[in-house]
Each structure stands twice: as C-alpha cells, then as structure tokens.
Amino acid sequence: MGNLLKVLTREIENYPHFFLDFENAQPTEGEREVWNQVNSVLQDSESILSGLQAYKGAGQEIRDAIQNPNDLMQQERAWNSVCPLVIKLKKFYSFSLRLEEALKSLLESLTCPPFTPTQHLEREQALAKQFAEILHFTLRFDELKMRIPAIQNDFSYYRRTISRNRINNMNLDIENEVNNEMANRMSLFYAEATPMLKTLSNATTNFVTENKTLPLENTTDCLSTMASVCKVMLETPEYSSRFSSEDTLLFCMRVMVGVIILYDHVHPNGAFNKSSKIDMKGCIKVLKDQPADNVEGLLNALKFTTKHLNDESTPKNIRTMLQ
C-alpha cells in the first residue's frame, strides 16, 4: 500500500475519507524533533493513568477526624493520609500542563501553511498518531476521574486544614510542594467534570487566539479531517479489519469523540449545526453501532462536555440521537 495514510478513492457526501495506520506509523526525519518532544510527555501517560486508577482516597480517615475534632491522633492520621494523595494530585495536574505544551507543538506542525490538513496528515502520520494518543489519554483520564469523588473531598480537606494551620502560624513542609497559588490552580482543575479535556479545549482555543495570522480553518479543518478519518475506519469493515487489536477500534472511537469536542469548543458555530464539516449524524451512528458498554462514556462526553449541542441551530434529529 505504500503510504500509511491512504486517501480512499470513493467520495461520499464530500467528507474526506482516509485510512491512517494508528498502530504502526513511524516518524520521518522531518517529524523527528517534534515527535521526540511529544513522545517524552506521552511515555509518562500510562503511569499517570495507573496512578489515577489506584487512587483510593482518605475518606474514612477524614470522617474520623471530623467526627473527633479534639482527638489529635485522628487529626494526624487524616493529615498523614491526605498529604501523599495531594502530592499525587499535583503530579496529575503538572502532567496536564506538559500535555498542553505537547498539543500546541502538534497543532503548530499539523496546521502550518502552505499545506492543507489533508496534506499534513499524509506527510506527518506519526504526528497525527501522537495527536490521537493525546486525545485517547485525555478521555481515559477523565472517564476515570469522574468515578473518583474522593479526589475533591481529599483536596477540600487539605485546603481547609492548611488554612486552619496558617491561622495558627504553623509551618507545614508540604507547602513547599503545594503552595497557595498551586493549590488554587489545582482546585480549579479538579473542579471540572472533565479536567484534561478542558485543558485541551483551552489550549486549542488559545492556540487559535495567539496565532492571529493562521486562519481558524487550518485548525478546525485539521480536527474535522481527523473526525472523518476515524469515522470511516470504524464504519468500513475492509479498513477496520486491518487493525491487529480490537483496542484500536476503541482508540478510534475515543479519538473521534475527542476531536469533535475540540472542534465544538474552537469553531464559533460548533460541531452540531448544518454548516459543520463533521458528519455528526454519521459519527453518532458509528458509536451507537458498537456494544453499549464500550460507548456509554463517549456518548456522555458528547452530551455533557460539548458547548453547542443545545444551541437552537442543532438539528432536532441530532439532539434526539444523543438523548
């Protein structure tokens, strides 16, 4: 086949059709510098997910401390349980900042003139794959975080205790790690239902704002083209059958949903209206054709983390499909 990314010969509904080899794309010499930079971030992503998955929280210790305010041993036990968790939460937050920088580097490479998004994807498949991997990680992180209410409870207890001790002029070593400014930023991050997705949305919006000479379409077309790539690979058996692992199908679904959400946040009219370059009806249908267990979280992400779904301009049939 030659190219890892192949433009299909058939044109349906004027949406671009591609096959992108998410499993095997390797960087060319021209991609190497950016690829290495992004790879140094992505190689830590699995340990971040493992750390989040193993997060147990200090709920019992905190309850005991609150119920026994004069029992110093209980207070100390709760504090000693919460501090290592806060260090862990700082690590996750710091990773989101690194991910933000990695995304900006990829957007610069995949949107710069004189090439179109299609040409960029043909020339820089390994960077497109990394972009997909960032989105895949982001949705996995946020799916896990939504199931761990302990995170916000632990962090709230930490902040209350720090404030109380500051009033009592107590100096705590952990403030060298998580000072007040850091705690404020972390608090905003974890208050979001989907903090990593919010980070990427803000990063993409900022990228567009900061690069005033770059047409908005360069960025939104990159996102809509990626959505089409994933949709076609999922709905076309001759292409989806090329994947050596079923996990790649779930990877494709997550990436498709991730780029739709980014597009919806960055494009002034969003992803759902009739002028959108994303075939939303087709994308939702592809998801609904999958086993419900695989896609429930993704359909919820489209419902609850997009910006324009409930706009008047969103066709009624699209809203009905997502109910």
Side-chain angles (χ1 to χ4, degrees), residues 16 35 47 72 104 106 110 112 122 145 167 179 184 199 205:
W35 189 91
S47 71
L72 288 179
K104 284 182 182 174
L106 288 174
L110 293 171
C112 62
E122 281 187 291
K145 187 263 177 186
I167 290 165
N179 61 25
N184 286 337
T199 299
T205 305

Side-chain angles (χ1 to χ4, degrees), residues 19 21 27 36 51 54 74 79 85-86 100 118 128 138 152 170 256 264 284 289 295 317 320:
F19 179 80
D21 191 341
N36 284 342
Q74 296 282 20
W79 180 248
L85 295 172
V86 169
E100 188 176 351
T118 301
T138 296
Q152 278 175 276
M170 281 176 67
M256 181 178 78
D264 194 56
I284 297 167
D289 286 345
V295 296
N317 65 330
T320 304

Side-chain angles (χ1 to χ4, degrees), residues 84-278:
L85 295 172
V86 169
I87 300 297
K88 195 180 264 195
L89 293 176
K90 182 193 174 187
K91 184 183 172 188
F92 301 157
Y93 169 70
S94 299
F95 186 76
S96 78
L97 303 181
R98 293 172 62 205
L99 205 66
E100 188 176 351
E101 289 308 307
L103 180 76
K104 284 182 182 174
S105 297
L106 288 174
L107 284 172
E108 277 170 22
S109 296
L110 293 171
T111 60
C112 62
F115 303 113
T116 65
T118 301
Q119 289 167 328
H120 273 299
L121 289 170
E122 281 187 291
R123 294 164 59 91
E124 294 143 58
Q125 300 99 341
L127 297 187
K129 179 173 180 269
Q130 285 185 319
F131 184 38
E133 284 168 345
I134 286 177
L135 290 164
H136 184 238
F137 163 82
T138 296
L139 268 74
R140 286 167 73 202
F141 182 95
D142 287 345
E143 280 169 19
L144 283 172
K145 187 263 177 186
M146 279 196 266
R147 297 189 207 129
I148 311 175
I151 288 176
Q152 278 175 276
N153 296 336
D154 294 345
F155 200 65
S156 296
Y157 178 80
Y158 169 77
R159 299 204 72 190
R160 286 198 307 274
T161 308
I162 283 279
S163 299
R164 195 162 60 241
N165 289 333
R166 203 176 284 125
I167 290 165
N168 297 333
N169 292 320
M170 281 176 67
N171 242 333
L172 297 168
D173 289 342
I174 193 168
E175 288 203 80
N176 298 329
E177 286 267 2
V178 182
N179 61 25
N180 200 42
E181 186 193 344
M182 172 61 78
N184 286 337
R185 294 207 305 262
M186 286 170 64
S187 196
L188 289 171
F189 177 76
Y190 287 111
E192 295 287 342
T194 52
M196 285 290 175
L197 206 48
K198 180 71 173 173
T199 299
L200 293 200
S201 295
N202 287 347
T204 310
T205 305
N206 291 342
F207 173 79
V208 169
T209 309
E210 288 161 14
N211 291 276
K212 297 193 189 312
T213 56
L214 188 74
L216 172 67
E217 289 72 31
N218 285 37
T219 304
T220 53
D221 285 359
C222 174
L223 299 174
S224 60
T225 303
M226 283 289 281
S228 292
V229 167
C230 294
K231 181 178 85 76
V232 169
M233 291 198 294
L234 287 163
E235 70 186 0
T236 312
E238 63 191 280
Y239 293 103
S240 58
S241 64
R242 291 185 192 176
F243 297 135
S244 62
S245 164
E246 203 165 306
D247 288 347
T248 310
L249 291 176
L250 188 54
F251 180 92
C252 259
M253 287 185 257
R254 281 207 178 99
V255 173
M256 181 178 78
V257 168
V259 284
I260 288 169
I261 294 166
L262 286 188
Y263 183 100
D264 194 56
H265 279 261
V266 174
H267 197 287
N269 301 323
F272 296 96
N273 70 44
K274 286 177 181 172
S275 66
S276 166
K277 289 191 178 178
I278 296 177

